[in-house]
Amino acid sequence: MNQIKLTQQSKQSLLDNLLKRSPDHYGEFEDVVAQIVAEVRKNGDQAVFSYTKKFDKWDIDADNIRVTEQEIEEAFAKTDPDFIAVMKRSAANISAFHQKQLRNSWIDTKPDGSILGQRILPIAVSGVYVPGGKAAYPSSVLMNVIPAKVAGVKKIVMTTPAGADAKVNAGTLVAAKIAGVDEIYKVGGAQAIAAMAFGTQSIPKVDKITGPGNIFVALAKKACFGYVSIDSIAGPSEILVIADESANPRYVAADLLSQAEHDELASAILITTSEKLAKEVSEQIEGFLKELSRAEIIRKSLEQYGYILLADSMDEAISTANAIASEHLEILTKDPYAVMTKIENAGAIFLGEYSSEPLGDYYAGPNHILPTNGTARFFSPLNVDDFMKKTSIIAYSKEALEAAHKDIELFAQKEGLTAHANSIRVRFE
């Protein structure tokens, strides 16, 4: 890992380097993605089948594009029963957490006869994208689908790529069944996003698309935004650990590596006030790399985006963490709760040495679909509100409007909108 003394200049250089990982910096792929999206929008199934045959190497058609109940049953038969039980427990935790996010419609009536309110309803159809390829993530299925179910979404559609044998990862199918997905289609890549955004002869149009994916998926979501809602344009995974001399270096090293193994663009950063801890963490990382299965990926990740930052004070460490606005933030200090109160920007915060990041990835309940690339400054984790729509309700009596009509007419006139003013005025002529 790159060990750096924290200064204003080194902090800015670090931020600039991290931003290179953003999907906004992959413009060379935008034309390719735009062409795929346009083809699917124009030709529907025909384009989806053509791109799937080209990229995924299997003979897809209208008869085999959708996952059958028999395939789901086969997936359950192939999957370790203990793993199925763990997924069910995880799903229960995720559901319980998101139930607490539910909000109700409300109405406020006043003595003058005015009624104001907000009606909160779920979207009708939600689409979720689940990656395949190098790795499959059943946990992401649970995290994307369960908040939509809690919100009350009536129909949930999932797309995920199949292998050359036309089979979808068994764990992905089991997770989809546990979470409550209604329809599953064997399509991946930008063509899957476009199919859900615009609808095809086989795949229904959805109202919102959530879920992670590669750069082509991310850019397709960006291209389709506006025709359909999306969760975010997710970048590579990242973890930031704030630690002082009290932290266990072995725990810190293990937690940093837990994110670095995702891919070569993942970021793992330690900010510490202890030179001794920095040295010990480096040693522990080298030890772990001799035994971890994805060591090659981890090394590339750490070479490019792995940092140990030495801070003069905890306040400097906190200030830097707020500037980075990391997806995952662990606080391993003598008093993690005191540090937490000063954190303003983070996707998820993990407190203490027994709250390592994978706890949030798999089991605790809060969503692991989190803002990346500094967007925690203004974005939130995926939540129930993402699957709800809010409508304002306004009802005034004659008496209530009469008391306000001159104010409204004056406002409209000052904006030069005389028809607006007239719409109010005619009621009191």
Side-chain angles (χ1 to χ4, degrees):
M1 294 179 76
N2 306 289
Q3 186 163 316
I4 298 173
K5 180 77 173 69
L6 256 182
T7 64
Q8 193 60 38
Q9 183 177 352
S10 66
K11 181 164 74 172
Q12 190 57 53
S13 296
L14 166 64
L15 293 172
D16 291 343
N17 192 42
L18 293 177
L19 284 174
K20 293 175 186 175
R21 302 155 57 249
S22 168
D24 291 331
H25 289 253
Y26 290 84
E28 67 267 30
F29 300 115
E30 286 186 346
D31 289 343
V32 174
V33 170
Q35 181 180 349
I36 294 173
V37 169
E39 283 286 325
V40 172
R41 185 179 185 186
K42 179 181 178 182
N43 297 315
D45 273 359
Q46 180 184 337
V48 170
F49 298 161
S50 175
Y51 282 117
T52 300
K53 290 172 185 176
K54 178 180 178 180
F55 297 130
D56 295 335
K57 313 298 183 188
W58 66 282
D59 196 19
I60 187 174
D61 58 37
D63 293 328
N64 62 17
I65 187 174
R66 183 170 173 178
V67 172
T68 64
E69 283 298 321
Q70 182 180 344
E71 287 176 294
I72 293 173
E73 290 172 7
E74 290 172 358
F76 270 86
K78 291 178 183 176
T79 304
D80 178 358
D82 289 339
F83 183 35
I84 295 173
V86 167
M87 280 196 273
K88 288 180 178 178
R89 289 195 290 273
S90 176
N93 292 342
I94 296 165
S95 180
F97 178 86
H98 288 84
Q99 287 283 348
K100 296 181 186 299
Q101 296 177 340
L102 278 170
R103 292 194 284 170
N104 297 318
S105 301
W106 56 269
I107 292 286
D108 182 25
T109 60
K110 295 182 179 179
D112 64 4
S114 62
I115 301 173
L116 299 176
Q118 183 172 261
R119 192 179 184 202
I120 302 176
L121 294 171
I123 62 175
V125 185
S126 177
V128 57
Y129 183 85
V130 179
K134 293 181 181 178
Y137 300 107
S139 59
S140 284
V141 179
L142 302 180
M143 293 291 183
N144 278 279
V145 175
I146 291 174
K149 294 295 287 187
V150 170
V153 175
K154 291 184 174 65
K155 184 175 182 179
I156 300 176
V157 174
M158 187 175 102
T159 58
T160 187
D165 59 356
K167 299 290 185 182
V168 173
N169 176 270
T172 296
L173 293 184
V174 170
K177 184 68 173 179
I178 290 171
V181 175
D182 297 294
E183 300 174 10
I184 306 171
Y185 297 91
K186 304 175 187 178
V187 182
Q191 61 270 27
I193 301 300
M196 289 192 284
F198 300 107
T200 73
Q201 294 84 348
S202 296
I203 300 174
K205 174 176 170 38
V206 304
D207 299 310
K208 181 157 193 162
I209 299 173
T210 67
N214 63 18
I215 188 61
F216 295 98
V217 170
L219 290 175
K221 288 169 72 176
K222 183 178 179 182
C224 293
F225 178 63
Y227 298 101
V228 65
S229 177
I230 63 171
D231 50 354
S232 65
I233 310 296
S237 190
E238 54 201 31
I239 185 171
L240 190 154
V241 178
I242 296 177
D244 60 17
E245 68 282 357
S246 69
N248 183 318
R250 188 166 177 79
Y251 295 172
V252 174
D255 293 355
L256 291 168
L257 298 181
S258 73
Q259 292 307 293
E261 76 169 342
H262 271 293
D263 60 54
E264 291 88 347
L265 295 177
S267 170
I269 300 172
L270 166 64
I271 308 178
T272 182
T273 52
S274 169
E275 288 189 34
K276 180 174 181 288
L277 179 73
K279 180 181 178 183
E280 290 172 343
V281 168
S282 292
E283 292 169 354
Q284 289 291 335
I285 284 173
E286 286 304 314
F288 279 128
L289 285 173
K290 294 174 183 176
E291 57 190 62
L292 293 172
S293 62
R294 294 168 69 88
E296 186 177 345
I297 291 173
I298 293 171
R299 284 194 184 278
K300 289 180 181 177
S301 168
L302 296 181
E303 286 170 7
Q304 297 180 95
Y305 303 107
Y307 295 92
I308 296 177
L309 305 178
L310 285 169
D312 288 331
S313 67
M314 188 53 62
D315 283 343
E316 185 181 40
I318 292 167
S319 172
T320 303
N322 280 326
I324 294 171
S326 185
E327 178 187 19
H328 307 99
L329 172 63
E330 288 190 9
I331 303 175
L332 299 172
T333 61
K334 292 175 184 174
D335 188 352
Y337 294 92
V339 174
M340 179 197 68
T341 61
K342 298 177 182 178
I343 296 296
E344 298 173 356
N345 304 320
I349 301 174
F350 300 79
L351 301 172
E353 63 182 8
Y354 294 103
S355 305
S356 60
E357 188 279 335
L359 173 66
D361 269 355
Y362 297 114
Y363 201 76
N367 211 288
H368 80 196
I369 311 295
L370 301 167
T372 58
N373 278 108
T375 59
R377 296 191 308 274
F378 44 83
F379 281 145
S380 304
L382 190 70
N383 61 83
V384 169
D385 272 357
D386 286 312
F387 301 96
M388 308 293 276
K389 54 185 180 178
K390 303 170 185 71
T391 303
S392 300
I393 298 170
I394 303 166
Y396 266 43
S397 66
K398 180 180 180 181
E399 291 74 22
L401 185 60
E402 189 169 21
H405 81 95
K406 289 184 179 179
D407 287 349
I408 303 166
E409 290 167 28
L410 178 60
F411 220 135
Q413 288 162 0
K414 292 299 182 183
E415 291 192 347
L417 300 175
T418 55
H420 279 63
N422 186 60
S423 173
I424 299 293
R425 187 185 304 112
V426 296
R427 286 163 167 77
F428 299 100
E429 290 176 341

